[in-house]
Structure formats: C-alpha cells, structure tokens
Amino acid sequence: MSIRGKTAIIGYGETEFAKARDSENRSNHTEQCHAAILAIEDAGIRKEDIDGLIALPPLGQTPSWGMDMAEYLQLQPRFIDNLYHGGAAGAAAILYSAAAINAGLCHTVLLVGGSAMKPGRIFPYDAQAVIPFVHDFDSIYGSMLDNSAYALIKQRYKHEFGVGEEPFAQVVVNARYHASKFPNALLKTPVSRQAVIDSPMICDPLRMFEIVMPCSGAAAVVLTSAEAAGRSNNPPVYLLGGGQSIDRGMWNPAYGRNPSLTTSPIKKSAAQAFAMAGLTIADMDFVQLYDCYTITVIIALEDIGCCEKGQGAKFVENANLTHQGELPVNTDGGQLGRGQPMGACHFLSTVEAARQLMGRAGALQVEGARFGLVNGNGGSMANECTLIFGNQIP
Amino acid sequence: MTVSSQYAKPLPGESPESKPYWEAARRHELVFQSCGSCGRKIHFPRVVCPGCLSRNLQWRKALGIGSVYSYTIIYRQGVHPGFASDIPYVYAIIELEEGVRMISNVINVDPLKVTIGMKVNVVFDDVTDKVSIPKFEPLQGKGLDKKASCQL
C-alpha cells in the first residue's frame, strides 16, 4: 500500500526569523503558534479540520510537547506525536503523517517546529551527560557536539578525496547568494570564497561561515489527503516518495554501524524515496538539502546521485546551483544563508519545496518546477530522511 | 572539608557495563570487548554484541597502538567549560591496531602536526587518585606493553 501521491501539502507558514539577541519577546510557544496559524490560514482550512498534530519539541522541552501544544491551540487530534530525530524530524514527521492519513487514522495533519533562542549556549552540557556511553566515551574528551562531529567528517572527506577548502567555500557563496534575494533570510550579504576561507577557524577544518547561526523562528505545514487537497485554494504539493535510514546515534560519528564517515544513510533513504516516486535525480527541478555545515551539502549531493562518491566537491565548483542553474540547491538560502531557526529548519526545506512547486518563490522561482527533493539530516549524518514532492502525480 | 580533586573536566561515570573498562584504565591498561560468538571487536562497552546480539563477550587487552582516523583542532570553548584552558586541543577518532575506533585526545604534540594516519600510542592521564583517562600521543615506542592483544 504505497503512499505515493496519496497526500499533499496545501499550506505552509514561517515566522519572521530573529537573532538570539533580538528574541526577548519570543517564546517557544509563541513561535510555534504563529507558524501554525500562518499555515492554517494559508491552507484555507478551519481549526476543526485538523485531526492530526505533530509538534517538534524545542531543545530541553518536555516529551509531552505535542499534547501541550494541542492544549495551547485547543486542538482535538486523533493522531499526535512530538518526534525528536534531530534535523531529520520534520521530513520524518511528514512521511509518518502521510502513512497515518493513508491508513485512515486521520485526515489533515498540522506539523510545526521551531523555538525562541536565548543568547548563550544552545546545548547544555547536561544534554549529553544523561547518556552514559556518550558522556564516558565522548564528552570527557571535550567534544564540541555537532561542530566537532562535522569537523571529523569534513577532515576525513578532505583526506579521502584530496579536496581543498574552495568547494566548501563555494557552498557558502551559493547559500548567501540565494539568501540575498530571500526576504526572510538573516544573512543577506553575499560573500566571496576568500571571505569564507578567511573567516575564523572554530573547529579545524570548520570555519565560522561554514557553521550555521542558530536563531529564533518556527515553520509549519498542513498535510492532507490528495482528495481533500484537490479542493484547496493552493495548488496541491503531492508527496510522491519518502525514505528514512539511520545508522548511528545522535552525538558523534565514531561508533556507528556504518564504518565510513563520508558515505551517509542518504544513499538508502534517497533510493527508497526515488523508487517510491518512480522518479530519478534527473527528474528533480531543485533539491533542498539540510546544510547545517558545508560538508553535508557535498556528501548529500553525492548520495542522492548527482555525481560519484568523491566528486561532490568538483560538482559544487563546476555546476550552477543557483535558482537559474542546472540543479538549484537550497533556493531560500538554506541554513547557511537564512539562519538556523532551531526546530523550524526541520520543516523549512519542505516549506521552500512547497513554495517553489506552488509557483510562489518570487525572485527565486525555479521556472517550470514540477518535482523537487527534500532531505532532512539528524545527528552527525546519522539519521536521514528524503522526500520527493511534485505539483503533479506522474 | 578537603577538596578531593581539582580536576575541572567531566569524569567518567559508573555505568555497570563500563566498570571493567575504567578499572583497567586505572591499571593503565586499555581494554575492549570481543564477541565470543561472532568475533566482533567492540567499543564502547555493552552487555550484548551489537553485531549478533550474543551476550558472550570477553574483555581483551589492547596493544595500545593505533592511528588517527580523523581529528579536529578545537579553537573555541566546547560544551563543558573545563576544557577552556586546553584550547587549542585535538579531539580525534583513534583506530586501534585491533580495529576498534574510539574518541580520544591526541596530546604531547603541536596540534598543527597531527595528521590522519599518524601512528599513536596510548598514554594514561591520571586525572584523580581514582580515575585514569586513556589519551594518545605520537608513537614513541617507550613504556609500551609489547605483547600482542591477549585475553585477560
């Protein structure tokens, strides 16, 4: 019983992003509520039409987050969850919601994620300390969490494939180019490759401009059955395929089942998504990749099949990855350009895919876009979820 | 009241499955688990083999030699404030001769001299009177147990 083409996104919303220092009047609840209301209004549905809710818990919040949000908005869902899969959570939540709708558990699911940042440390030390094997065999050596994990992956990639810094800098150049044209981006100033390479070293070989800036913001989407989507005011954005693959834990890449740091589970999640959709990478008019660090874009491009393993660096240097190029990548600037609203970015790749496929991307519109790929990445390339969307069912 | 330790960084806890590992480290021995059913070598310590789910695990003593599989030089304060005075320091994946990988630090070397593939040997940092933490330094050939890995 495939879920291919059985559900569609009919509305989305994203709040105005803000830097941590500008977030004093925001809270986790206000952010998620604003995004939810924007998505409900965009979808043109009534609150009473929503019978499913997935609300992603902001960092450090209780496991009852979904129920708390249901109370805050006075929703009465018959399907609910609050996934925590790191950055793969949003894509996974859409995939599971599609399965639930298709199985008759609910009709219309509101999915929301996001948070309000406070200045200072994002991950308290305690987040790791509660997991004995992470604490005892990682934290005691002075981990920088995601920064050090992705630095290990980038270092190994550079070693295995003899790559310099330029391709990584080019990923940032592309992101900032799109961000400069994206109304809600926080990092609107275009940068040169040299500026990226000259930015301060944080966690060698990761430089400051290659690392996302966490910020406040939330995003939401409304997913419903394809049948109901046909009655929507917005052009339906059909979910055509999806796949997920996990091969290590959240915190570091040393101990996983997959011995390679440079081949990710995207190979499996994307293969499943394409097979379900009956499409290939050649059919994709754009891809929205989870770019928390530059290295994820290069590895993801390889593992979704744009080029051979080890050729991703050459690919980003030679191909035109802008909205007018042969393979538009992260057309809203991605996290490296617009900022990383924690929890919202899990859904923002899907929001941008929907924006493109509804033809509402303005100056960044990919002309004639029909099909697009979204990839969510959780942990240190540990948990990957790939979705294929289309504004038609081929 | 006397302060038992001035060590400002986090110390390993006492999870039941890793106790023998830390007891061995206190004796300046680096150990790992080996599966008696499928032969898989295992780190971090577990109660079952993550390959075949057998409970038949044995502790083995490692030669204490390995190489740097990947590494990063950390220039900003990490998650725990205790490491601030070490900056810049090397946080690395070490692949032991026996094949298991572990997170550790490479010490006693200019961080900029560290490379992937660099041969290293274990050194034990006696951080308190009860706890020794295995770290690695460029292969010296001194103070090493030359015996091959053996069953304890």
Side-chain angles (χ1 to χ4, degrees):
Chain A
M1 189 170 69
S2 170
I3 56 172
R4 177 183 190 269
K6 298 286 177 59
T7 60
I9 289 169
I10 55 167
Y12 58 81
E14 67 184 52
T15 64
E16 195 178 322
F17 308 143
K19 294 184 180 182
R21 63 167 184 264
D22 302 323
S23 298
E24 55 190 45
N25 290 323
R26 295 169 184 242
S27 77
N28 292 327
H29 287 97
T30 64
E31 287 304 298
Q32 290 205 4
C33 283
H34 283 309
I37 290 160
L38 289 168
I40 291 167
E41 287 171 351
D42 186 46
I45 57 171
R46 298 170 308 142
K47 194 184 81 164
E48 291 69 28
D49 297 328
I50 296 165
D51 61 355
L53 172 69
I54 296 190
L56 307 183
L59 286 171
Q61 296 299 314
T62 66
S64 64
W65 181 258
M67 285 177 64
D68 300 337
M69 284 300 294
E71 176 170 296
Y72 199 109
L73 292 169
Q74 290 276 296
L75 297 173
Q76 289 181 294
R78 52 190 179 125
F79 168 76
I80 191 166
D81 208 344
N82 33 218
L83 304 177
Y84 189 81
H85 292 197
I94 291 168
L95 191 57
Y96 306 166
S97 296
I101 292 168
N102 199 38
L105 296 181
C106 53
H107 285 131
T108 301
V109 183
L110 170 68
L111 302 105
V112 58
S115 53
M117 282 290 106
K118 301 291 174 234
R121 232 153 257 295
I122 295 161
F123 284 102
Y125 165 69
D126 298 352
Q128 273 191 315
V130 296
I131 312 166
F133 58 81
V134 175
H135 178 269
D136 292 0
F137 299 98
D138 185 359
S139 307
I140 64 162
Y141 292 109
S143 144
M144 263 186 105
L145 294 177
D146 302 68
N147 284 352
S148 47
Y150 283 95
L152 292 172
I153 295 172
K154 180 184 171 189
Q155 189 85 279
R156 185 72 199 179
Y157 187 95
K158 290 181 68 180
H159 171 81
E160 286 183 17
F161 304 114
V163 173
E165 288 298 322
E166 289 77 10
F168 297 97
Q170 185 61 40
V171 171
V172 184
V173 170
N174 292 347
R176 293 287 196 98
Y177 170 77
H178 284 142
S180 72
K181 296 173 181 293
F182 185 69
N184 203 12
L186 288 178
L187 302 171
K188 283 182 183 292
T189 319
V191 291
S192 66
R193 286 194 196 189
Q194 198 55 46
V196 179
I197 291 168
D198 291 342
S199 67
M201 191 68 90
I202 304 295
C203 201
D204 189 352
L206 282 178
R207 292 167 166 81
M208 185 177 279
F209 287 5
E210 295 180 82
I211 301 174
V212 282
M213 179 186 70
C215 62
S216 296
V221 297
V222 174
L223 187 79
T224 191
S225 67
E227 190 190 31
R231 301 191 292 270
S232 166
N233 295 331
N234 289 326
V237 173
Y238 299 100
L239 179 64
L240 300 175
Q244 187 169 18
S245 181
I246 296 129
D247 66 15
R248 51 187 178 235
M250 268 303 283
W251 300 102
N252 79 58
Y255 299 131
R257 203 159 53 241
N258 172 9
S260 170
L261 295 195
T262 56
T263 295
S264 78
I266 298 171
K267 257 194 138 62
K268 288 181 189 161
S269 60
Q272 181 178 320
F274 281 130
M276 192 185 293
L279 297 170
T280 72
I281 184 67
D283 297 310
M284 296 299 107
D285 296 309
F286 59 81
V287 299
Q288 312 293 347
L289 306 173
Y290 197 94
D291 59 336
C292 47
Y293 298 85
T294 48
I295 181 65
T296 67
V297 174
I298 291 175
I299 289 178
L301 285 168
E302 294 170 351
D303 291 348
I304 63 175
C306 290
C307 56
E308 293 294 309
K309 180 54 63 186
Q311 298 298 308
K314 222 172 261 171
F315 185 80
V316 300
E317 283 207 278
N318 296 337
N320 181 347
L321 306 182
T322 73
H323 65 106
Q324 293 166 315
E326 60 257 46
L327 185 70
V329 175
N330 295 355
T331 42
D332 61 351
Q335 298 175 40
L336 290 167
R338 68 166 131 69
Q340 185 190 47
M342 302 286 292
C345 50
H346 303 355
F347 287 117
L348 284 169
S349 300
T350 293
V351 168
E352 176 60 11
R355 191 184 279 122
Q356 289 285 352
L357 292 169
M358 290 181 186
R360 296 159 71 183
L364 289 161
Q365 182 64 46
V366 175
E367 287 306 321
R370 298 174 306 155
F371 305 113
L373 177 148
V374 163
N375 193 77
N377 155 55
S380 46
M381 304 206 85
N383 180 348
E384 305 290 349
C385 187
T386 309
L387 305 177
I388 309 290
F389 290 105
N391 53 18
Q392 50 199 272
I393 304 172
Chain B
M1 203 171 89
T2 57
V3 178
S4 61
S5 168
Q6 296 298 315
Y7 189 66
K9 298 167 192 166
L11 287 165
E14 287 274 325
S15 65
E17 61 270 56
S18 66
K19 217 171 169 188
Y21 178 93
W22 294 109
E23 286 168 358
R26 189 61 202 144
R27 301 190 302 269
H28 288 200
E29 291 175 354
L30 183 63
V31 298
F32 62 92
Q33 290 171 302
S34 176
C35 177
S37 300
C38 74
R40 179 183 286 245
K41 290 157 181 165
I42 302 156
H43 179 80
F44 51 88
R46 292 165 167 93
V47 292
V48 294
C49 170
C52 69
L53 302 186
S54 164
R55 293 184 181 82
N56 179 18
L57 303 183
Q58 288 129 26
W59 288 98
R60 288 180 184 274
K61 186 175 164 188
L63 194 55
I65 293 174
S67 60
V68 175
Y69 186 78
S70 193
Y71 71 99
T72 169
I73 308 169
I74 294 182
Y75 287 96
R76 298 291 173 95
Q77 188 189 306
V79 180
H80 194 282
F83 294 90
S85 58
D86 291 353
I87 292 169
Y89 60 94
V90 178
Y91 167 92
I93 300 174
I94 305 299
E95 188 164 83
L96 299 180
E97 288 282 298
E98 293 84 357
V100 296
R101 289 186 196 159
M102 59 187 289
I103 294 281
S104 190
N105 300 124
V106 182
I107 59 170
N108 301 336
V109 62
D110 174 357
L112 294 173
K113 296 263 163 52
V114 174
T115 56
I116 288 178
M118 173 185 257
K119 292 280 179 195
V120 291
N121 60 252
V122 70
V123 282
F124 288 90
D125 190 354
D126 299 324
V127 297
T128 71
D129 54 7
K130 290 192 180 66
V131 176
S132 300
I133 296 179
K135 297 182 178 176
F136 290 82
E137 64 181 7
L139 187 62
Q140 307 278 322
K142 66 178 182 190
L144 287 176
D145 184 348
K146 296 292 184 194
K147 283 180 293 183
S149 305
C150 57
Q151 199 166 339
L152 290 178

